[in-house]
Amino acid sequence: MKKTSTLKDYIALLQIIKPRTIPFVIGTVGHGAVSASIYIMIGLIMKFMVDSAVKDNSRYLTYAIILSLATAVGAGILLYAFNYLRNKCAKHAMADLQKKVFTHIEHLPNRYFEKHHSGEVISKLSNDIGSIENAFTSNIYMIVFAVFFGMGSIVSMFILDWRFAVLFIAIGALTSYVNVFFSRNLRKINDKLLERLGKLTEKTIDLISGIVLVKMFPIRKKFIQQYSDLSEDTFQSYKDSQRKNAGIESMNFFINWGTYVLTLVIGSILFLSNSREFGTIIAIGQLLNGVTFLFGSINTFIGNLHAPLAAASRIKAILEEETEHLNGSVVVRYADNNNECIVLKDVSFDYDDGTHVLDNINMLVKQGEIAVLSGPSGSGKSTIIKILTGLVPIKHGEVYVNLKQFKSGLSSETSVLQLRNVISYIPQNAFLFDTTIRENISFGRLGATNDEIIMAAKEAHAHDFIMSLPDQYDTMVGSNGVLLSGGQKQRIAIARCILKNAPIILMDEATSSLDPETEAVVQKALATLIEGKTVITITHKKESYGAADVIYTLANGTLKEDRMVIS
Amino acid sequence: MKKTNYTEEGIAKWFYNYIKPHKIWLIGGIALSLIIIFVEVVLAYYLKQIIDLALEGEKGLFIQTVLYMAGIILFSTAIIYFNRLFLIQFAGKTTKDIRVAVYSHLSNISVKYIEKNNGSEIAARQNSGITSIEAFLRYQMPELFFQPLRFLVAFACMLYIDWKLTLLSSMLVPLAIFLGNKISKPYGSYYNELNERQGSKGRIIQDAISGLSILKIFNLEGIFAQKHASIIDQEVNTSLKIFKLNSLMEPVQVVLRLMPFVLCVILGGYLITQDVLTLGTLMAFLQLQNYIIEPMNKIPHLIRDVRGIEGASSYIRELLNETIENVNETDSSEVHIDSSSENVIKFNNVSFRYRDEGEPVLNNVTFDIAPNKMYALVGANGSGKSTIFKLITGLYSVSHGSIEVFNRPLDERNLNTIRQHISLVSQDSHMFPMTVAENIAIGLPEASTELIRNAAKMANAHDFIMDLPNQYDTIVGQDGMNLSGGQKQRISIARALLKNAPLILLDEPTSALDKSAEQSLQKELDILADNRTVIVIAHSLSTIMKADHIIVMNQGEVVGIGTHEELLDNNLVYHQLYKNQIASHDVAIPGDVAN
Ligand SMILES: Nc1ncnc2c1ncn2[C@@H]1O[C@H](COP(=O)(O)OP(=O)(O)OP(=O)(O)O)[C@@H](O)[C@H]1O
Ligand SMILES: Nc1ncnc2c1ncn2[C@@H]1O[C@H](COP(=O)(O)OP(=O)(O)OP(=O)(O)O)[C@@H](O)[C@H]1O
Ligand SMILES: [Mg+2]
Ligand SMILES: [Mg+2]
C-alpha cells in the first residue's frame, strides 16, 4: 500500500477523461470561473456600495445595482450549461471505464478469480468507480473553482492595493504547509477503507450464496460476529480518514478568520493614517475570502483526491492484469487429411497452488471417435477438459486439435477463440446464468431461432417440463438456476450444448443428475447428436462404455489407454 | 414483496430507530454547532466593533477587541474539530449498526426471498444503499438541524439590528422552499433507480465470474459485454436526469445568493445616506446576512438530499421489512428423540407450490418416517424430492396439510432447534471461501482436529485432503473452485457427518463420486442408520437397494412405499424408472424370476 500518490497516479486518473477532455475542461473551467466571479462581483458591489455611502454619491449605488443584476442573469444561464456539461462528460467517462473493465474481466484467466472474490470485483466496480466519479464531478471542479476564486481575488486585490495582495499571498502560501501536514497518510487510509468495503461485500455474497448452510449448520453466530468485527474495522478506517478531514476543516476555519481579522487590523492602521479609502479595505476583506479559500481549501481538495487516486490505480491494476493468452498452449490446425483430431503429447500439469495433477500423459482421439475418460474423483479428468478448451495453460507437453476445414476463410493455425467455436461442452456442474430458460439455451448458438431452441430442448428432454412452468421458456431460472430442480438444470445445459452442434463435443458427467428413465432417453438423443463427431465423455458409469472407441483411465496422474477392438 | 410508500415521517422514524443508541453524538455535534453559531454571531458583532472603532480612531479598545477576536477564533477552531469528530462518530456508528442489522436480517430471511433475488444483486444494492446512508448521516442529517437553527439565530440578531433589512433579505425563503421542493420531486425515484442499477451490475458481474468457463467456451464475451453496457447506459440516463435537475439548481442558487445582497445594498445604502444606519452596522449586518443566505441556499439542496436518501435507502428499508423466517423463539422445548416413538417425520396431506400460479409441486403428500431406519426417496427429475427436504428443514413452509418433525408440528417449533438435529447434504455442494478444515468444521464449530479428520475419513475425503498443497489448511476458493466435483461433494458429506445429528438428509450425495467412493459411503450410511434416521435421495440403484424403505414419487405425489422387491412387483412407476438399470444390473430381479 502506498503512502502517497505519485505523478503516475494523477496521470492514471486524468487519463480516464481523455476522449472528452475538451468539453470537460470547458465545463469545469467555465463553471469554476463563473462561480468564482460571482463572489468577486460581490466584493466589487460592496466596494461601490460603501463608496457610495461614504462619499454620498448615488452613482456608485447605481453601479452596484446594475452589476448585481447583470451577474444574476448571466451567471444563472452559464452555470446551468457548464455544470451540466462537465457532469455529463464525467458520467460518460465513467460509463466507458466500467464497460472497459467489464470486458477486461471477461478475458481474464480463470486463475484470477481464485485469488479475487467476485465481491471484491463488484465492490471495486461500485465503490472505486463512485470515488473516481466524485473526483470529476466534485473534487477537480472544486480545485478549479478555488484557483479561479483565489486568482480572481488576488488580481482584484492587486488592482485595489498591491501591498495587500503580496501580504496575503505570503500568508496563503504559509497555510498550505499546515494543510500538507494533515493530508499525510490519507492515501494509505483510503486504500484500507476501500479494501474493507470490498470485504464486506464479499461476506454478504458468501452469506447469501451459502444461506442454506447458514441455516442448517450452527454457524450463523460466527458469521454475524465476523461481519460485525469487519464492520467495526471499516468504521475505524472511516474514522481515520474522516478525522483527517476534520483537522483540515477546522484549520481552514482558523486561517479564514485569522486572515480576515488581520486584514482589518492592517487596513484600519492604514485607514487611521488616512492613506486608504475604507471601501477598498472592505472590498479587500471580502476578496480575502477568495485568497484564503484558495490556500486554505486547495489542499483539502487535493487531499480529497487521494481516495479517487487510490481508486483509479486499483482499477488500473485490474486493467493491467494479463488477459488469457489467445494463442494458448493448444495448437489448432485445419487439415483435411489428418484424422487425429485431439492429441495430447507428454502433457504434465500442476495448478498454481502446487497441486500436481497430470504426469506426462498421452492421449489420442481420432476424428469421429468417442473416447470415454474415467478415473477416480480428483484424478484430473475435468482438468484435461480445461486444458483442451484453453482455460488453463500447460507448461509441459503439447496439445493439438486438428480439424477438417469445415469453414472457409480460416487460417491454418488459429486462436483459442476459434478453437472454442468448434467445441461443444456440457460442464460437470450445470451452470445457468440468471436469466430466462430461452436465453440460457440460446447461449449455445447466439442468433438461433426460437424453433431451433425448442428443438434443442426437445432433444434434451426438457421441452415438456419447460412447458409446464408458468412462464414456459420465459421462466427466470434464478441465480445459477436455483429455481429449477437439479435434473432440470442439467437438461438445460445439455440443450445448450445440443444447440451449438459443434464438431467436437466434451461432456463432463453430462447426465449425473438425471433420473434413470430420463437418462436413457437423453443418452439416446445424445447418441444421435454425436454421430460423426469427435467426443470425449467423462463418466463414472460403466454402462456408458458401450459405444466407446477408446477408454482412457486416469489415476495418479497417469493415463491408461484401452482401445476397443472393432469387430 | 409489498411495496410500501414511505412518507417523510416514515423514514424519519426508521432512521430514528438506528440513531437512538448514538444520538448522544449527534446531540453533542449539534450542541457544538450551536456554539459555532453563537461564535459566528459574536465574531460578526466584534467585526462591527472593529470597524466602528477604527473609524472613530479608538486605539486601545481596538486592540482589545482584536485580541478578544483572536481568542474566540482559536476557541472555535477547537470546537469545529470536535464537532466534526462527534458527527463522524455518530455517522460511523449508526452506519455500522445498520450494516450489521442488514446482514443479520439477511441471515434470517426466508430462503424463498434469497432464491428469488440474486445474491450479488442484493449485496451490491446493500453496499450502495449503505454508502449513501453513511454520507447522509455524516453531512446532511446534521445540516437538517444546523442550518435552520443557524438561520433562526441569525434572523433574530438581524431583526434586532434592523427589521426592515432583515425582512427584505429573508423574503426569498419561501421561494427557496418552493423551488427546492418543486425541482427535487423526482429525486427519490431517480436514486432508487440508480440503486437498482447497482444491483443489476452486481448480478451480471457475478454471473460473468461464476460462469466464466461457460462464458468463454461458448464465446459469450460479446453478448455479456452488451448486456452490461445496456445496464450502464440506463444508469447514465438516470444520472443525466439528476444532473439536469442539479444544474437547474445553479441559477436558483445565484438568485438566492445575490438577491438579498442587492436588496440590502439598495435599502442599506439609502438608509446610510439618510444617516439612519452607520456603515459599521451595515457591515455587521451584511456579515450576518451570510448566515441567512447560506441556509437559504442550502434549503433546496437539503430538500433534494432528503428525497435522494429516501430513494437510495428504500431498498435497505424494504429489505429490513422483509419478513424473516418463522423462527418461533417462544418454543424452548427440547427435541426428544426417543427410539420408541413411532415417527420422526410425518407428512399429512401436504400440498405445496413455489409460485402462486401453475401446478402445485407437491400434491397431497402423506408418509411417515420411522426412527433408525434408512429411507430412499426416488422419482423422476422435478418430481419434488428436493422440495420435500426443503419442507422438512423448514426452509419453505407449507400452506396445506401439516408436517410433524420429532413428534410436533413444524410450525409450532423453533426452526433453529429443529435444524440443530438435522444433518443435510444438499444436491449441490456449496463451499465457503475458507480452508478445508473450516468448511468441514461448520458442522460442529467446536470440533477438535481429531473429530474433523474422523469425519473426513468417514466421507472418504481424508486421503485426497492430505494430497492437497496445504492439506486441511488449503483454501478451497469461492464456491470451492479449487476442488474437483467429487471432492466438494465429499467435503459436504464430511461436514454433515461431523454434525452427527439424529436425522440425516442426503440429496444425491454420490452423484459426482466414482463407484468405489460410492460404495464406501454406502457402508458408512449403513452403520449410521443403526441409531439414526437416514433419508437419501438417489437415482442409482445400488444406493436405493440398501434402504429399508423406498418412497417413490411421481409428479409431486407419493405413488408407492415399500422395499425394492415389493415395488418392482407392484409399482409401475418404479418399474418404469429402473427397467433399464435392472437389465444391466447384476442383481437378480425377483419379478423376472417369478416369470
Ligand atoms: N483451480 C484449481 N486450483 C488448484 N487445484 C485444483 C483446481 N481445480 C482442481 N484442482 C485439483 O486438481 C485435481 C484434479 O481435479 P479435477 O477437477 O480435474 O478432478 P476430476 O477428475 O474431474 O474429479 P471429479 O470426478 O471429482 O470431478 C484435484 O486434486 C483438485 O483438487
Ligand atoms: N425455488 C424454486 N422456485 C420455484 N420452483 C421450484 C423451486 N425449486 C424447485 N422448483 C420446481 O419444483 C419442482 C420440483 O423440484 P425439486 O427440486 O423438488 O425436484 P427433484 O425431485 O429434486 O428433482 P431432481 O431429481 O431433478 O433434483 C420442479 O418442477 C422445479 O422446477
Ligand atoms: Mg471433474
Ligand atoms: Mg433435487
Side-chain angles (χ1 to χ4, degrees):
Chain A
M1 243 176 262
K2 285 192 286 188
K3 247 184 156 162
T4 55
S5 311
T6 59
L7 185 65
K8 243 166 93 188
D9 297 323
Y10 284 92
I11 292 170
L13 180 67
L14 290 175
Q15 257 169 357
I16 290 169
I17 203 83
K18 210 167 173 192
R20 301 188 171 73
T21 311
I22 294 171
F24 179 74
V25 168
I26 292 175
T28 308
V29 169
H31 193 195
V34 175
S35 296
S37 62
I38 292 177
Y39 287 90
I40 294 169
M41 286 303 165
I42 290 179
L44 292 180
I45 293 165
M46 245 174 162
K47 172 187 153 56
F48 286 133
M49 188 200 73
V50 174
D51 284 350
S52 91
V54 174
K55 294 182 184 161
D56 246 338
N57 187 340
S58 63
R59 205 181 66 213
Y60 289 104
L61 196 62
T62 325
Y63 284 165
I65 295 166
I66 292 173
L67 201 54
S68 336
L69 290 179
T71 310
V73 174
I77 296 167
L78 287 176
L79 284 181
Y80 174 81
F82 285 139
N83 190 41
Y84 184 66
L85 183 64
R86 78 185 168 83
N87 280 309
K88 191 177 149 186
C89 289
K91 194 73 215 179
H92 279 297
M94 286 312 110
D96 287 352
L97 181 63
Q98 287 184 73
K99 291 176 190 170
K100 199 160 132 194
V101 174
F102 184 83
T103 323
H104 193 81
I105 285 173
E106 287 181 312
H107 291 99
L108 288 176
N110 288 25
R111 193 174 66 232
Y112 179 84
F113 299 99
E114 284 163 18
K115 292 189 201 80
H116 301 268
H117 195 284
S118 65
E120 180 192 323
V121 179
I122 290 171
S123 160
K124 272 186 186 165
L125 273 173
S126 160
N127 296 333
D128 290 5
I129 296 278
S131 181
I132 296 173
E133 181 173 335
N134 219 19
F136 289 110
T137 56
S138 159
N139 300 354
I140 292 180
Y141 161 70
M142 289 310 278
I143 291 172
V144 170
F145 169 69
V147 167
F148 273 102
F149 189 17
M151 290 306 176
S153 305
I154 289 174
V155 170
S156 312
M157 243 187 219
F158 261 110
I159 296 167
L160 292 170
D161 189 322
W162 65 271
R163 283 170 297 179
F164 274 98
V166 172
L167 176 68
F168 294 119
I169 290 171
I171 296 176
L174 213 85
T175 59
S176 303
Y177 280 102
V178 180
N179 278 298
V180 168
F181 172 79
F182 280 97
S183 20
R184 276 176 322 151
N185 284 342
L186 211 54
R187 167 67 180 263
K188 205 167 117 192
I189 292 167
N190 276 312
D191 265 337
K192 185 144 238 148
L193 180 60
L194 285 172
E195 188 190 309
R196 284 177 171 162
L197 284 173
K199 273 268 172 328
L200 285 169
T201 306
E202 287 177 21
K203 292 272 174 206
T204 310
I205 290 177
D206 286 345
L207 171 81
I208 299 173
S209 57
I211 191 72
V212 171
L213 293 183
V214 173
K215 287 183 189 298
M216 293 308 301
F217 291 92
I219 45 171
R220 176 185 282 126
K221 268 210 189 82
K222 188 175 151 205
F223 270 46
I224 292 179
Q225 189 55 49
Q226 281 178 351
Y227 189 81
S228 171
D229 292 346
L230 189 59
S231 304
E232 178 64 30
D233 292 345
T234 311
F235 164 56
Q236 293 302 338
S237 292
Y238 172 76
K239 212 162 73 176
D240 288 346
S241 99
Q242 293 285 315
R243 211 164 30 202
K244 292 262 171 198
N245 290 342
I248 293 170
E249 276 178 50
S250 52
M251 272 329 284
N252 284 331
F253 174 88
F254 180 78
I255 290 164
N256 277 324
W257 272 98
T259 32
Y260 197 56
V261 172
L262 207 63
T263 330
L264 285 173
V265 173
I266 296 171
S268 304
I269 293 164
L270 291 176
F271 182 72
L272 290 178
S273 60
N274 240 344
S275 65
R276 293 254 62 92
E277 293 177 343
F278 201 72
T280 307
I281 294 169
I282 299 292
I284 286 175
Q286 191 71 25
L287 289 172
L288 196 62
N289 281 333
V291 183
T292 50
F293 186 76
L294 171 62
F295 290 110
S297 318
I298 200 150
N299 289 293
T300 313
F301 300 137
I302 290 175
N304 285 346
L305 269 184
H306 284 300
L309 284 168
S313 67
R314 281 154 57 98
I315 295 284
K316 192 162 168 249
I318 299 187
L319 288 173
E320 278 170 359
E321 248 340 293
E322 204 174 345
T323 51
E324 215 183 16
H325 284 291
L326 290 184
N327 302 312
S329 25
V330 184
V331 178
V332 188
R333 292 186 298 215
Y334 288 92
D336 280 324
N337 48 5
N338 191 340
N339 76 352
E340 297 182 342
C341 182
I342 296 169
V343 185
L344 275 78
K345 237 174 155 176
D346 296 326
V347 171
S348 298
F349 180 80
D350 291 349
Y351 279 102
D352 283 353
D353 64 358
T355 313
H356 180 61
V357 186
L358 302 176
D359 225 5
N360 269 321
I361 63 158
N362 286 289
M363 189 173 183
L364 168 67
V365 187
K366 294 190 189 135
Q367 305 279 2
E369 270 189 347
I370 297 172
V372 163
L373 183 54
S374 76
S377 161
S379 55
K381 305 180 295 294
S382 302
T383 304
I384 291 183
I385 291 207
K386 286 192 222 167
I387 291 172
L388 280 174
T389 48
L391 291 176
V392 294
I394 51 164
K395 292 197 190 79
H396 305 284
E398 290 159 77
V399 183
Y400 297 101
V401 173
N402 297 312
L403 296 165
K404 301 248 180 237
Q405 193 88 34
F406 76 106
K407 258 189 219 161
S408 54
L410 289 174
S411 56
S412 58
E413 288 210 2
T414 182
S415 78
V416 169
L417 290 184
Q418 278 160 321
L419 166 71
R420 289 175 186 161
N421 264 329
V422 295
I423 290 179
S424 223
Y425 167 60
I426 303 174
Q428 186 167 14
N429 292 310
F431 180 83
L432 299 188
F433 295 98
D434 189 357
T435 172
T436 62
I437 289 179
R438 186 195 315 279
E439 195 171 15
N440 263 297
I441 299 176
S442 80
F443 285 151
R445 181 153 47 84
L446 297 172
T449 65
N450 207 20
D451 287 345
E452 288 171 321
I453 291 171
I454 292 173
M455 272 309 293
K458 279 185 177 155
E459 298 214 24
H461 205 58
H463 181 72
D464 289 346
F465 91 76
I466 296 172
M467 293 310 282
S468 76
L469 294 169
D471 296 322
Q472 299 172 346
Y473 280 85
D474 294 319
T475 307
M476 295 292 289
V477 302
S479 166
N480 192 11
V482 273
L483 302 180
L484 298 179
S485 88
Q488 290 171 342
K489 254 171 76 174
Q490 195 160 47
R491 277 178 280 166
I492 304 286
I494 294 171
R496 182 170 62 198
C497 169
I498 291 177
L499 185 65
K500 185 158 179 183
N501 195 22
I504 297 176
I505 297 176
L506 307 176
M507 300 192 280
D508 197 347
E509 313 258 10
T511 56
S512 61
S513 305
L514 301 190
D515 65 74
E517 198 183 350
T518 310
E519 189 177 9
V521 181
V522 172
Q523 288 285 10
K524 221 177 272 163
L526 284 175
T528 11
L529 171 83
I530 64 184
E531 228 166 276
K533 307 210 163 106
T534 310
V535 179
I536 297 181
T537 171
I538 295 174
T539 178
H540 291 307
K541 290 181 178 149
K542 287 247 163 31
E543 304 91 77
S544 316
Y545 290 10
D549 297 301
V550 52
I551 293 172
Y552 282 102
T553 315
L554 188 61
N556 300 319
T558 54
L559 194 63
K560 201 176 106 249
E561 184 185 287
D562 202 348
R563 205 159 263 280
M564 306 278 124
V565 186
I566 297 153
S567 49
Chain B
M1 198 165 52
K2 205 172 77 224
K3 182 95 187 156
T4 354
N5 237 334
Y6 290 98
T7 56
E8 269 80 6
E9 300 109 79
I11 179 171
K13 239 186 228 148
W14 185 87
F15 268 112
Y16 184 67
N17 264 331
Y18 291 96
I19 288 169
K20 214 162 47 185
H22 309 296
K23 63 173 181 233
I24 190 77
W25 295 107
L26 179 62
I27 293 171
I30 292 169
L32 292 182
S33 304
L34 285 175
I35 298 181
I36 297 169
I37 298 175
F38 180 71
V39 165
E40 281 180 335
V41 174
V42 172
L43 283 176
Y45 172 74
Y46 278 132
L47 212 58
K48 165 188 143 65
Q49 289 276 303
I50 286 190
I51 294 169
D52 285 348
L53 288 172
L55 284 169
E56 287 158 24
E58 291 252 17
K59 238 185 192 151
L61 261 181
F62 180 83
I63 291 168
Q64 197 187 350
T65 315
V66 168
L67 287 178
Y68 280 157
M69 278 187 97
I72 292 171
I73 290 168
L74 256 177
F75 168 73
S76 40
T77 301
I79 296 284
I80 287 181
Y81 184 68
F82 283 107
N83 163 264
R84 303 296 190 266
L85 282 196
F86 283 14
L87 293 177
I88 291 163
Q89 202 76 5
F90 162 72
K93 280 182 182 275
T94 311
T95 307
K96 186 201 149 190
D97 283 1
I98 295 178
R99 246 195 204 113
V100 176
V102 171
Y103 186 87
S104 39
H105 196 82
L106 277 172
S107 78
N108 276 314
I109 223 163
S110 69
V111 168
K112 185 174 184 159
Y113 182 85
I114 301 275
E115 286 184 350
K116 271 214 177 118
N117 297 275
N118 186 296
S120 297
E121 186 171 340
I122 296 176
R125 294 189 73 171
Q126 183 230 26
N127 170 39
S128 114
I130 287 186
T131 308
S132 308
I133 289 177
E134 186 163 60
F136 178 77
L137 291 173
R138 166 67 185 87
Y139 297 104
Q140 283 94 35
M141 171 85 85
E143 290 278 274
L144 281 179
F145 295 96
F146 179 67
Q147 295 297 350
L149 277 174
R150 190 183 192 193
F151 179 83
L152 288 178
V153 173
F155 187 72
C157 295
M158 288 163 71
L159 271 183
Y160 177 73
I161 296 176
D162 191 295
W163 65 269
K164 277 169 283 182
L165 284 178
T166 310
L167 290 184
L168 205 58
S169 28
S170 50
M171 216 171 67
L172 293 179
V173 171
L175 182 72
I177 295 176
F178 174 78
L179 284 178
N181 193 32
K182 190 109 192 149
I183 292 177
S184 66
K185 273 254 155 64
Y187 269 94
S189 63
Y190 288 168
Y191 276 96
N192 193 16
E193 259 172 55
L194 282 186
N195 182 268
E196 243 176 88
R197 292 289 105 77
Q198 291 291 349
S200 318
K201 277 196 271 176
R203 187 181 62 206
I204 195 151
I205 295 168
Q206 179 69 55
D207 254 6
I209 293 175
S210 35
L212 196 63
S213 299
I214 298 292
L215 189 101
K216 285 179 173 167
I217 296 178
F218 286 87
N219 295 112
L220 300 173
E221 292 95 342
I223 180 113
F224 271 78
Q226 260 175 41
K227 278 164 163 266
H228 178 258
S230 85
I231 295 169
I232 300 285
D233 291 341
Q234 286 169 358
E235 185 188 358
V236 169
N237 268 342
T238 312
S239 299
L240 290 187
K241 282 188 219 158
I242 291 177
F243 289 148
K244 243 179 217 152
L245 293 189
N246 279 345
S247 305
L248 212 55
M249 289 220 174
E250 291 284 327
V252 174
Q253 299 271 296
V254 176
V255 171
L256 288 180
R257 193 171 286 283
L258 274 176
M259 282 316 274
F261 197 77
V262 174
L263 292 173
C264 282
V265 167
I266 298 171
L267 186 65
Y270 171 76
L271 289 177
I272 290 176
T273 52
Q274 300 300 301
D275 279 334
V276 181
L277 216 60
T278 67
L279 184 58
T281 315
L282 183 63
M283 292 317 293
F285 185 86
L286 285 178
Q287 186 63 37
L288 279 175
Q289 200 187 37
N290 280 333
Y291 305 142
I292 67 169
I293 289 179
E294 236 200 270
M296 233 160 65
N297 263 278
K298 290 215 164 128
I299 288 170
H301 282 148
L302 286 177
I303 296 174
R304 173 195 73 184
D305 293 336
V306 168
R307 291 250 163 80
I309 196 65
E310 261 183 73
S313 69
S314 80
Y315 179 71
I316 301 270
R317 286 177 287 132
E318 268 162 31
L319 198 63
L320 284 167
N321 256 353
E322 211 38 65
T323 44
I324 57 169
E325 258 185 345
N326 172 26
V327 184
N328 191 346
E329 301 284 359
T330 55
D331 172 55
S332 56
S333 64
E334 281 296 299
V335 171
H336 291 292
I337 300 103
D338 87 58
S339 45
S340 63
S341 80
E342 274 172 55
N343 303 307
V344 176
I345 298 169
K346 211 169 158 58
F347 266 56
N348 225 327
N349 273 318
V350 172
S351 296
F352 174 78
R353 56 177 84 214
Y354 288 100
R355 305 176 170 92
D356 294 335
E357 343 80 85
E359 294 281 299
V361 170
L362 294 182
N363 219 338
N364 272 320
V365 169
T366 302
F367 64 84
D368 299 334
I369 301 288
N372 304 334
K373 287 267 168 358
M374 182 163 150
Y375 285 79
L377 197 51
V378 306
N381 293 136
S383 56
K385 304 179 297 294
S386 302
T387 304
I388 288 200
F389 278 8
K390 290 189 204 166
L391 296 182
I392 294 173
T393 49
L395 295 174
Y396 277 82
S397 50
V398 293
S399 43
H400 299 285
S402 71
I403 300 173
E404 281 180 31
V405 179
F406 302 124
N407 294 318
R408 286 257 308 275
L410 199 56
D411 46 14
E412 284 177 17
R413 311 216 64 146
N414 183 338
L415 284 177
N416 286 336
T417 322
I418 289 292
R419 288 174 185 161
Q420 273 167 26
H421 295 85
I422 304 177
S423 276
L424 173 72
V425 176
S426 306
Q427 195 164 1
D428 39 19
S429 352
H430 184 79
M431 300 283 126
F432 291 111
M434 313 184 290
T435 65
V436 171
E438 284 170 324
N439 261 298
I440 298 177
I442 68 171
L444 187 70
E446 65 276 13
S448 65
T449 319
E450 199 49 40
L451 277 175
I452 292 174
R453 280 170 189 241
N454 268 340
K457 279 177 189 153
M458 278 167 78
N460 204 359
H462 179 73
D463 290 343
F464 90 76
I465 295 173
M466 294 311 283
D467 282 342
L468 294 174
N470 294 310
Q471 283 131 22
Y472 278 85
D473 296 325
T474 309
I475 306 261
V476 303
Q478 191 174 8
D479 214 357
M481 62 163 75
N482 293 353
L483 298 174
S484 83
Q487 291 172 338
K488 273 181 4 184
Q489 197 160 38
R490 280 176 283 167
I491 288 180
S492 90
I493 293 168
R495 158 202 295 166
L497 295 181
L498 180 66
K499 188 172 173 185
N500 196 14
L503 175 58
I504 301 178
L505 307 178
L506 305 148
D507 197 344
E508 300 197 32
T510 58
S511 60
L513 299 187
D514 49 80
K515 277 274 148 5
S516 80
E518 184 178 348
Q519 274 162 10
S520 69
L521 182 74
Q522 276 159 8
K523 249 180 253 150
E524 292 296 339
L525 290 184
D526 262 353
I527 301 167
L528 284 173
D530 279 348
N531 53 2
R532 284 175 192 78
T533 312
V534 177
I535 309 179
V536 53
I537 296 176
H539 291 309
S540 104
L541 206 48
S542 55
T543 306
I544 298 167
M545 287 188 343
K546 289 273 189 328
D548 300 306
H549 301 279
I550 300 169
I551 301 175
V552 186
M553 297 203 55
N554 190 32
Q555 298 189 356
E557 288 175 32
V558 170
V559 292
I561 303 179
T563 60
H564 177 67
E565 289 77 13
E566 287 165 6
L567 290 169
L568 263 192
D569 269 351
N570 55 30
N571 193 294
L572 212 65
V573 174
Y574 189 74
H575 194 272
Q576 183 71 17
L577 208 51
Y578 287 102
K579 64 168 193 271
N580 288 313
Q581 276 195 25
I582 290 160
S584 65
H585 214 272
D586 46 1
V587 175
I589 298 160
D592 286 356
V593 173
N595 286 341

